């Protein structure tokens, strides 16, 4: 089973690999090849599973994440109201006639 790493973790490992190949193995051409390789390709070749591979940016700050949570909660609340709005359009609430109200009160 491949090891799971974040993009940031894998980028650090890739950087260390580049340094190792260049400094210890004394192969600057191969080091350049590794450095130029995409993170996705490097992960596949090294049998590493990227966690959240679509995320191209580094981790967001706590404040940015909190703001995004608030935005998503607001959007979620708005979406929860949609079925009620649709139901009101499809089958509007029945309005009572004045005659019906008089009968309910026991008036003749």
């Amino acid at each position: 089973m491949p090891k799971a790493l974040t993009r940031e973790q894998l980028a650090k490992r890739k950087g260390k690999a580049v340094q190792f190949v260049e400094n210890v193995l004394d192969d600057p051409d191969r080091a350049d090849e590794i450095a130029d390789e995409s993170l996705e390709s490097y992960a596949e070749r090294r049998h590493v599973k990227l966690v959240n591979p679509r995320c191209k940016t580094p981790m967001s700050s706590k404040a940015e994440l909190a703001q995004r949570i608030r935005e998503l909660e607001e959007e979620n609340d708005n979406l929860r109201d949609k079925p009620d709005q649709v139901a009101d359009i499809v089958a509007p609430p029945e309005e009572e006639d004045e005659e019906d109200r008089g009968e309910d009160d026991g008036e003749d």
Side-chain angles (χ1 to χ4, degrees):
M1 181 168 166
K3 183 168 184 148
L5 297 173
T6 64
R7 294 183 68 80
E8 185 177 281
Q9 291 169 327
L10 187 61
K12 286 180 183 178
R13 284 191 178 196
K14 181 181 168 189
K16 288 179 182 181
V18 169
Q19 288 178 342
F20 178 82
V21 170
E22 189 169 349
N23 298 333
V24 177
L25 299 181
D26 195 27
D27 190 349
D29 293 333
R30 179 66 183 132
D32 288 342
E33 289 175 16
I34 295 171
D36 292 340
E37 187 176 14
S38 73
L39 206 53
E40 289 79 7
S41 174
Y42 182 77
E44 186 176 324
R45 187 170 58 79
R46 301 296 299 160
H47 305 287
V48 173
K49 179 181 179 195
L50 278 176
V51 179
N52 196 8
R54 295 190 209 318
C55 181
K56 301 290 184 188
T57 58
M59 295 287 285
S60 300
S61 71
K62 186 175 179 180
E64 290 170 330
L65 293 173
Q67 175 62 33
R68 182 67 179 139
I69 289 171
R70 283 191 295 275
E71 291 169 359
L72 290 172
E73 286 174 341
E74 184 178 320
E75 183 178 344
N76 194 15
D77 289 341
N78 291 336
L79 290 172
R80 284 185 182 152
D81 293 338
K82 294 290 182 188
D84 292 336
Q85 293 170 354
V86 170
D88 288 344
I89 293 169
V90 173
E94 293 182 22
E95 295 184 21
E96 293 182 17
D97 292 337
E98 286 190 33
E99 292 176 11
D100 291 340
R101 280 186 258 152
E103 291 175 9
D104 290 340
D105 292 338
E107 297 176 14
D108 289 319

